[in-house]
Amino acid sequence: MEQITRRTLLGRLGAAAGAGVLASRGAAAAGGRPRNFVVVFCDDLGYGDLGCYGNGQIKTPRLDALAAAGVRFTDFCSAAPVCSPSRAALLTGRYPVRSGITRVLFPQSENGLPESERTIAEVLKGRGYATACIGKWHLGHLPPFLPMNHGFDYYFGLPYSNDMEKNQRGDPPLPLMRNGKIVEQPADQTALTRRYTEEAVAFIERSKDRPFFLYVPHSMPHVPIHCGEAFRGKSAGGAYGDVIEEIDWSVGRIVDALAAAGVAKHTLVVFTSDNGPWTHYKEHGGSPGPLRGQKGTTFEGGMREPGIFYWPGRLTPRVEPAFASTLDLLPTFAALAGVDLPEGVTLDGRDLTPLLLEETPPPEREFFYFLADDLQAVRRGDWKYKRPFKGKVYGEPLEHGALLFNLREDPGERNNLADAHPETVAALEARLAAFEKTDWRTP
Ligand code: MG
């Protein structure tokens, strides 16, 4: 017979209490039903492109309604100013330097998100979630790197960006894939937003009796911009506005499908984008609103995004000024699903549930801004320090010295306070130097 010592008894009691905490955390709300998660992730959408973020021309009534009924973040950042690394960060909760996906992948790339990375889909699958990726993947188009090998049961969409069909580079015609197979080539780009939406709705309908995670990384509004016939020429915001208004329609269709399936109250919907607008493309690119910079820069315009969280009956409607990031989705979903975080993995995101559900102000945190492997800036509280830079952004020269901004007072990063606060500059530069000394590539 097993001898029960005081230590093993205490250990068992502790384990039982721990399991109880996990179970209650996972099933507390919504009558014990597991929560579903829907992430709509645009491509190159600007901070200023939606009505609820101040755009006066582009009409986004469905997104505005979600924002009004949910939590609209003012300071929500993606974790990279370009496509592939931003996606790696969202799905893993880790800065892109940790997975090594620090640059945009091309049709010639032979790499992808390493198998060792644990994605949101894999974390949730441990609790029986149905998972789908419907849209642009861009974390490796070769078979070992496709969504099916990163925890997704179902995949429909483009394996990389919609502009990656350049003859001079030797790109093949743009492939549209279902699971591991090409189903159309070249893909009809005018139909992408509609087809992604139909696929997303069908996934909700067939998954409504299970917990599910639906990831919808739209191909739009990345150039070349396209929309369906029904939206062409309709927006006061021009061709770009047409594209955003179709995305707004798409979000409305998805939310309506959740309601029709009877799962809206059990589903957290998150809407954001991978990086800021490509203003280089003028009227075919978006707007950073009041922010400085664009895609490819670590100014706020390159990385701060619309961040809308919608969960009817669970979130107190408000405009939320606390900082948050796409890095936070994995730990937040894990907490809400009652699943353990991946073991032995350095996560950079934070669990947002105390902020989202109880409005508990989060402890002060640091957020690092990378361009590829180059650590360029850090935010701590309202301060953002940006290292001197000299280089080019999409062919345009960019040069500046050390920059220090108070983002609460000056979100547009116009008023450089570096000379006025040298001690803050020194302290934040020391934080960058210290972070650079850590081994990013260890798990
Ligand atoms: Mg992008």
Side-chain angles (χ1 to χ4, degrees):
M1 200 173 115
E2 188 190 7
Q3 192 182 0
I4 297 181
T5 64
R6 187 165 177 273
R7 179 178 295 224
T8 55
L9 182 63
L10 285 175
R12 284 181 192 177
L13 288 171
V21 167
L22 270 185
S24 63
R25 197 172 57 173
R33 271 186 76 141
R35 288 73 178 264
N36 309 312
F37 306 101
V38 176
V39 176
V40 180
F41 197 46
C42 290
D43 194 349
D44 294 8
L45 182 77
Y47 187 79
D49 284 340
L50 308 182
C52 53
Y53 281 85
N55 195 298
Q57 292 189 304
I58 302 173
K59 297 281 178 274
T60 52
R62 299 303 304 260
L63 283 160
D64 299 352
L66 298 197
V71 178
R72 180 173 77 79
F73 281 89
T74 60
D75 290 38
F76 191 86
C77 276
S78 66
V82 291
C83 299
S84 300
S86 179
R87 283 146 215 278
L90 180 145
L91 287 175
T92 63
R94 289 150 55 79
Y95 289 117
V97 286
R98 299 196 191 278
S99 61
I101 303 296
T102 60
R103 293 168 191 278
V104 170
L105 301 177
F106 288 91
Q108 294 74 24
S109 299
E110 293 182 351
N111 61 324
L113 189 67
E115 201 210 332
S116 54
E117 293 295 321
R118 298 288 308 280
T119 67
I120 293 174
E122 286 167 305
V123 168
L124 294 175
K125 274 203 85 62
R127 194 140 180 139
Y129 275 67
T131 55
C133 169
I134 295 170
K136 166 178 156 177
W137 175 240
H138 214 183
L139 287 171
H141 70 285
L142 297 178
F145 307 113
L146 285 172
M148 317 297 291
N149 287 314
H150 281 295
F152 290 98
D153 303 326
Y154 183 73
Y155 167 52
F156 178 84
L158 303 184
Y160 39 69
S161 296
N162 61 321
D163 65 340
M164 293 183 174
E165 48 179 359
K166 294 190 172 64
N167 291 333
Q168 64 272 31
R169 198 169 53 207
D171 296 350
L174 194 63
L176 178 67
M177 303 184 78
R178 187 188 309 280
N179 296 327
K181 295 208 172 61
I182 295 173
V183 294
E184 188 175 290
Q185 195 172 24
D188 173 6
Q189 294 214 41
T190 66
L192 282 179
T193 299
R194 177 180 55 78
R195 288 166 84 177
Y196 290 171
T197 307
E198 289 167 353
E199 290 275 344
V201 167
F203 173 78
I204 291 167
E205 286 169 354
R206 70 176 178 266
S207 307
K208 64 178 191 292
D209 297 324
R210 292 176 62 183
F212 60 81
F213 168 49
L214 169 61
Y215 172 54
V216 186
H218 275 294
S219 290
M220 296 295 142
H222 192 291
V223 291
I225 53 171
H226 288 281
C227 67
E229 185 77 42
F231 294 87
R232 207 165 303 146
K234 298 284 164 63
S235 174
Y240 185 85
D242 293 341
V243 171
I244 303 305
E245 292 184 10
E246 187 171 29
I247 289 173
D248 185 69
W249 163 84
S250 170
V251 171
R253 286 281 295 118
I254 289 171
V255 170
D256 290 347
L258 294 170
V263 296
K265 284 194 166 64
H266 313 294
T267 306
L268 171 62
V269 179
V270 179
F271 178 91
T272 186
S273 178
D274 66 336
N275 52 254
W278 214 343
T279 57
H280 172 75
Y281 280 92
K282 310 284 190 236
E283 72 275 12
H284 279 194
S287 164
L291 306 179
R292 179 174 177 179
Q294 63 154 322
K295 173 178 178 174
T297 75
T298 52
F299 286 110
E300 292 297 290
M303 291 172 61
R304 199 190 292 195
E305 291 298 333
I308 299 170
F309 286 61
Y310 173 73
W311 189 359
R314 290 290 291 158
L315 304 181
T316 304
R318 65 191 189 272
V319 176
E320 178 54 66
F323 177 86
S325 152
T326 53
L327 294 170
D328 304 333
L329 297 185
L330 184 147
T332 302
F333 295 174
L336 289 169
V339 296
D340 292 330
L341 292 172
E343 255 175 56
V345 172
T346 305
L347 289 175
D348 298 300
R350 302 277 192 281
D351 173 9
L352 296 177
T353 55
L355 173 66
L356 287 171
L357 300 179
E358 291 141 32
E359 299 183 60
T360 306
E364 187 172 80
R365 67 190 283 188
E366 285 174 336
F367 178 76
F368 295 103
Y369 297 70
F370 289 88
L371 179 63
D373 301 280
D374 189 21
L375 179 52
Q376 297 194 338
V378 58
R379 175 177 185 162
R380 187 166 70 191
D382 292 338
W383 288 113
K384 179 177 176 181
Y385 163 69
K386 198 169 184 318
R387 282 173 161 168
F389 180 83
K390 183 175 184 182
K392 286 190 170 175
V393 177
Y394 300 115
E396 299 286 323
L398 175 67
E399 184 174 359
H400 60 74
L403 300 174
L404 179 72
F405 302 110
N406 183 313
L407 292 178
R408 193 60 55 199
E409 293 166 6
D410 177 29
E413 299 176 289
R414 318 276 172 204
N415 186 19
N416 183 11
L417 301 173
D419 288 344
H421 296 278
E423 74 296 339
T424 305
V425 168
L428 293 176
E429 173 56 43
R431 293 302 304 144
L432 290 177
F435 191 56
E436 277 177 323
K437 283 208 187 80
T438 62
D439 186 357
W440 293 328
R441 296 297 292 274
T442 53

Short mmCIF file of all heavy atoms in Angstrom, two decimals, residues 41-45 80-84 86-87 104 136 138 161 218-219 222 273-276 278 295, ligand 1:
data_model
loop_
_atom_site.label_atom_id
_atom_site.label_comp_id
_atom_site.label_asym_id
_atom_site.label_seq_id
_atom_site.Cartn_x
_atom_site.Cartn_y
_atom_site.Cartn_z
N PHE A 41 -7.84 39.40 -39.05
CA PHE A 41 -6.52 40.03 -39.09
C PHE A 41 -6.33 40.60 -40.51
O PHE A 41 -6.11 39.85 -41.45
CB PHE A 41 -5.48 38.94 -38.81
CG PHE A 41 -4.11 39.40 -38.41
CD1 PHE A 41 -3.92 40.39 -37.46
CD2 PHE A 41 -2.99 38.79 -38.96
CE1 PHE A 41 -2.64 40.76 -37.07
CE2 PHE A 41 -1.71 39.15 -38.57
CZ PHE A 41 -1.53 40.14 -37.63
N CYS A 42 -6.47 41.92 -40.63
CA CYS A 42 -6.31 42.53 -41.95
C CYS A 42 -4.85 42.62 -42.33
O CYS A 42 -3.96 42.40 -41.52
CB CYS A 42 -6.94 43.92 -41.96
SG CYS A 42 -8.72 43.85 -41.87
N ASP A 43 -4.61 42.98 -43.59
CA ASP A 43 -3.24 43.10 -44.09
C ASP A 43 -2.99 44.54 -44.53
O ASP A 43 -3.60 45.00 -45.49
CB ASP A 43 -3.05 42.14 -45.27
CG ASP A 43 -1.58 41.95 -45.61
OD1 ASP A 43 -0.75 42.70 -45.08
OD2 ASP A 43 -1.28 41.05 -46.42
N ASP A 44 -2.14 45.23 -43.80
CA ASP A 44 -1.75 46.61 -44.13
C ASP A 44 -2.87 47.63 -43.87
O ASP A 44 -2.90 48.69 -44.49
CB ASP A 44 -1.27 46.75 -45.59
CG ASP A 44 0.02 45.99 -45.88
OD1 ASP A 44 0.47 45.22 -45.02
OD2 ASP A 44 0.57 46.17 -46.98
N LEU A 45 -3.76 47.33 -42.96
CA LEU A 45 -4.81 48.28 -42.59
C LEU A 45 -4.22 49.37 -41.69
O LEU A 45 -3.48 49.07 -40.75
CB LEU A 45 -5.92 47.55 -41.83
CG LEU A 45 -7.13 48.41 -41.41
CD1 LEU A 45 -8.04 48.67 -42.60
CD2 LEU A 45 -7.90 47.72 -40.29
N ALA A 80 5.33 43.62 -35.32
CA ALA A 80 6.29 43.85 -36.41
C ALA A 80 5.62 44.77 -37.42
O ALA A 80 4.39 44.77 -37.54
CB ALA A 80 6.68 42.54 -37.08
N PRO A 81 6.42 45.55 -38.15
CA PRO A 81 5.82 46.46 -39.13
C PRO A 81 5.67 45.87 -40.53
O PRO A 81 5.38 46.61 -41.46
CB PRO A 81 6.78 47.65 -39.12
CG PRO A 81 8.10 47.06 -38.77
CD PRO A 81 7.84 45.85 -37.92
N VAL A 82 5.89 44.56 -40.68
CA VAL A 82 5.68 43.89 -41.97
C VAL A 82 5.01 42.52 -41.74
O VAL A 82 4.95 42.03 -40.61
CB VAL A 82 6.99 43.71 -42.78
CG1 VAL A 82 7.51 45.05 -43.27
CG2 VAL A 82 8.03 42.97 -41.98
N CYS A 83 4.58 41.91 -42.87
CA CYS A 83 3.62 40.80 -42.82
C CYS A 83 4.05 39.54 -42.06
O CYS A 83 3.42 39.16 -41.08
CB CYS A 83 3.24 40.40 -44.24
SG CYS A 83 2.47 41.71 -45.19
N SER A 84 5.07 38.83 -42.57
CA SER A 84 5.36 37.50 -42.01
C SER A 84 5.71 37.54 -40.53
O SER A 84 5.15 36.77 -39.73
CB SER A 84 6.48 36.81 -42.80
OG SER A 84 6.12 36.65 -44.14
N SER A 86 4.90 39.67 -38.29
CA SER A 86 3.74 40.04 -37.50
C SER A 86 2.82 38.84 -37.28
O SER A 86 2.27 38.64 -36.19
CB SER A 86 2.99 41.16 -38.22
OG SER A 86 1.85 41.52 -37.50
N ARG A 87 2.68 38.00 -38.31
CA ARG A 87 1.85 36.80 -38.20
C ARG A 87 2.46 35.78 -37.25
O ARG A 87 1.78 35.13 -36.44
CB ARG A 87 1.66 36.16 -39.57
CG ARG A 87 0.65 36.89 -40.40
CD ARG A 87 0.98 36.90 -41.89
NE ARG A 87 0.54 38.19 -42.40
CZ ARG A 87 -0.73 38.46 -42.74
NH1 ARG A 87 -1.63 37.51 -42.73
NH2 ARG A 87 -1.08 39.67 -43.11
N VAL A 104 9.99 39.26 -44.43
CA VAL A 104 8.89 38.82 -45.29
C VAL A 104 9.34 37.62 -46.11
O VAL A 104 10.43 37.61 -46.68
CB VAL A 104 8.44 39.98 -46.21
CG1 VAL A 104 7.47 39.48 -47.26
CG2 VAL A 104 7.81 41.09 -45.38
N LYS A 136 -4.83 34.68 -45.71
CA LYS A 136 -3.40 34.70 -46.07
C LYS A 136 -2.54 34.12 -44.95
O LYS A 136 -2.55 34.61 -43.83
CB LYS A 136 -2.98 36.14 -46.35
CG LYS A 136 -1.48 36.35 -46.41
CD LYS A 136 -1.16 37.79 -46.74
CE LYS A 136 0.23 38.16 -46.23
NZ LYS A 136 0.61 39.53 -46.61
N HIS A 138 1.25 33.07 -45.05
CA HIS A 138 2.52 33.82 -45.12
C HIS A 138 3.51 33.48 -44.02
O HIS A 138 4.26 34.33 -43.52
CB HIS A 138 2.26 35.34 -45.13
CG HIS A 138 3.27 36.07 -45.96
ND1 HIS A 138 3.31 37.44 -46.10
CD2 HIS A 138 4.32 35.60 -46.68
CE1 HIS A 138 4.30 37.77 -46.88
NE2 HIS A 138 4.94 36.68 -47.24
N SER A 161 1.63 36.79 -49.83
CA SER A 161 0.96 38.05 -50.18
C SER A 161 0.39 38.03 -51.59
O SER A 161 0.92 37.35 -52.48
CB SER A 161 1.92 39.22 -50.05
OG SER A 161 2.33 39.38 -48.72
N HIS A 218 -7.27 38.30 -43.58
CA HIS A 218 -7.66 38.79 -44.92
C HIS A 218 -6.43 39.11 -45.77
O HIS A 218 -5.41 39.56 -45.24
CB HIS A 218 -8.50 40.05 -44.78
CG HIS A 218 -9.95 39.79 -44.57
ND1 HIS A 218 -10.73 39.22 -45.54
CD2 HIS A 218 -10.76 40.01 -43.50
CE1 HIS A 218 -11.97 39.11 -45.08
NE2 HIS A 218 -12.01 39.56 -43.84
N SER A 219 -6.54 38.91 -47.06
CA SER A 219 -5.48 39.33 -47.98
C SER A 219 -5.51 40.84 -48.20
O SER A 219 -4.50 41.45 -48.54
CB SER A 219 -5.63 38.63 -49.33
OG SER A 219 -5.32 37.26 -49.19
N HIS A 222 -3.99 44.81 -48.64
CA HIS A 222 -2.64 44.81 -49.21
C HIS A 222 -2.75 45.03 -50.72
O HIS A 222 -3.66 44.48 -51.36
CB HIS A 222 -2.00 43.45 -48.92
CG HIS A 222 -0.53 43.36 -49.19
ND1 HIS A 222 -0.01 43.40 -50.46
CD2 HIS A 222 0.52 43.21 -48.34
CE1 HIS A 222 1.32 43.28 -50.38
NE2 HIS A 222 1.66 43.17 -49.11
N SER A 273 -4.94 44.27 -37.35
CA SER A 273 -4.19 44.13 -38.61
C SER A 273 -2.73 43.82 -38.32
O SER A 273 -2.25 44.00 -37.21
CB SER A 273 -4.31 45.42 -39.42
OG SER A 273 -3.55 45.33 -40.62
N ASP A 274 -2.04 43.36 -39.36
CA ASP A 274 -0.66 42.88 -39.18
C ASP A 274 0.38 43.99 -39.10
O ASP A 274 1.42 43.85 -38.48
CB ASP A 274 -0.28 41.90 -40.30
CG ASP A 274 -0.22 42.56 -41.67
OD1 ASP A 274 -0.88 43.60 -41.89
OD2 ASP A 274 0.49 42.03 -42.55
N ASN A 275 0.11 45.10 -39.79
CA ASN A 275 1.05 46.23 -39.78
C ASN A 275 0.33 47.44 -40.34
O ASN A 275 -0.78 47.34 -40.87
CB ASN A 275 2.33 45.93 -40.58
CG ASN A 275 2.07 45.44 -41.99
OD1 ASN A 275 2.23 44.27 -42.29
ND2 ASN A 275 1.63 46.34 -42.86
N GLY A 276 0.99 48.58 -40.25
CA GLY A 276 0.38 49.83 -40.68
C GLY A 276 0.25 49.94 -42.19
O GLY A 276 0.63 49.03 -42.93
N TRP A 278 0.52 51.05 -46.17
CA TRP A 278 1.61 51.25 -47.12
C TRP A 278 1.34 52.58 -47.84
O TRP A 278 0.87 52.60 -48.98
CB TRP A 278 1.64 50.08 -48.11
CG TRP A 278 3.00 49.70 -48.57
CD1 TRP A 278 4.14 50.45 -48.48
CD2 TRP A 278 3.38 48.46 -49.20
NE1 TRP A 278 5.21 49.75 -49.01
CE2 TRP A 278 4.76 48.54 -49.45
CE3 TRP A 278 2.68 47.31 -49.57
CZ2 TRP A 278 5.46 47.49 -50.07
CZ3 TRP A 278 3.37 46.28 -50.18
CH2 TRP A 278 4.75 46.37 -50.42
N LYS A 295 3.89 51.37 -42.78
CA LYS A 295 4.43 50.00 -42.86
C LYS A 295 5.95 50.06 -43.08
O LYS A 295 6.43 50.90 -43.84
CB LYS A 295 3.76 49.31 -44.04
CG LYS A 295 4.31 47.95 -44.38
CD LYS A 295 3.54 47.33 -45.53
CE LYS A 295 4.13 45.98 -45.91
NZ LYS A 295 3.32 45.28 -46.93
MG MG B 1 0.95 43.37 -44.06
#
